[in-house]
Amino acid sequence: MTSIWLLPIVTLIVAAATGAIVGQALFPIDVSRACLTLGTSLFLCVIGISLALMVIVIYLQRLILHGLPQGLLIFSVYLPLGPLGQSGYAFLTLGQTARMFFPLMSGGDMNVFADSSAPHVIYAIAWVISFALWSLATAWVALAVLALADTLRKGLLPFKITFWGMIFPNVCYLHFS
């Protein structure tokens, strides 16, 4: 099991963050489609982060039981940062978008979202979720940096041609700009 399993899951979270931005743009044009976009984006984000957290737990167990990946695979330790950071951004953006839609003024006395404090509560919940995910991502950055430092200290990272894949875009940008 490697952290590569997270790559298909990240697409759900990126689509959710994009959907939140599209929902903000759709709001002045068509409120019903913007609301549908917001609901779909929230669904994608919750499913994506649920799957990502399951894979991250399995991956962490693999790291604890079998040790760090050898050689150049040590850089795969950084891959869990993608779903954690992006989902934090997605939840925050979804909370900002949801704040535009509420309070809903539909019929009935039992409508929770008709309260004037509903947008603030929804945004506060989204902020707390995103802060928790970003805190988890920060802890994972520390783990990844320590893992890479341990591998470099042991001298188990020989220079190979695959290093060009990490630095080539930066070298090209600096060289041609």
Side-chain angles (χ1 to χ4, degrees):
M1 193 266 159
T2 65
S3 61
I4 304 292
W5 288 15
L6 289 169
L7 293 179
I9 298 170
V10 174
T11 58
L12 295 171
I13 299 168
V14 171
T18 305
I21 295 170
V22 169
Q24 288 176 357
L26 274 176
F27 184 74
I29 300 167
D30 189 359
V31 176
S32 63
R33 288 203 174 124
C35 198
L36 178 66
T37 303
L38 178 69
T40 304
S41 298
L42 185 60
F43 176 75
L44 286 173
C45 193
V46 169
I47 294 295
I49 193 59
S50 299
L51 290 172
L53 288 175
M54 285 186 245
V55 171
I56 288 171
V57 166
I58 294 169
Y59 182 62
L60 183 62
Q61 179 194 19
R62 183 240 179 253
L63 289 178
I64 291 170
L65 293 178
H66 301 289
L68 296 171
Q70 298 297 317
L72 292 176
L73 288 177
I74 192 66
F75 291 107
S76 68
V77 177
Y78 286 93
L79 285 177
L81 294 175
L84 294 174
Q86 184 69 26
S87 61
Y89 171 74
F91 273 112
L92 194 61
T93 309
L94 286 166
Q96 289 173 347
T97 305
R99 198 166 45 174
M100 296 169 60
F101 292 100
F102 298 107
L104 293 176
M105 298 302 176
S106 61
D109 295 332
M110 298 300 289
N111 190 358
V112 176
F113 298 117
D115 188 13
S116 63
S117 64
H120 304 295
V121 171
I122 291 169
Y123 182 70
I125 291 170
W127 190 88
V128 167
I129 292 171
S130 66
F131 183 75
L133 289 167
W134 285 333
S135 299
L136 187 58
T138 303
W140 198 273
V141 164
L143 175 80
V145 166
L146 290 173
L148 181 62
D150 183 58
T151 303
L152 289 173
R153 185 182 56 84
K154 292 178 182 175
L156 299 175
L157 198 61
F159 183 80
K160 292 187 177 183
I161 197 68
T162 53
F163 277 110
W164 283 106
M166 290 185 291
I167 63 169
F168 180 70
N170 297 331
V171 172
C172 282
Y173 177 74
L174 293 174
H175 181 68
F176 294 113
S177 62

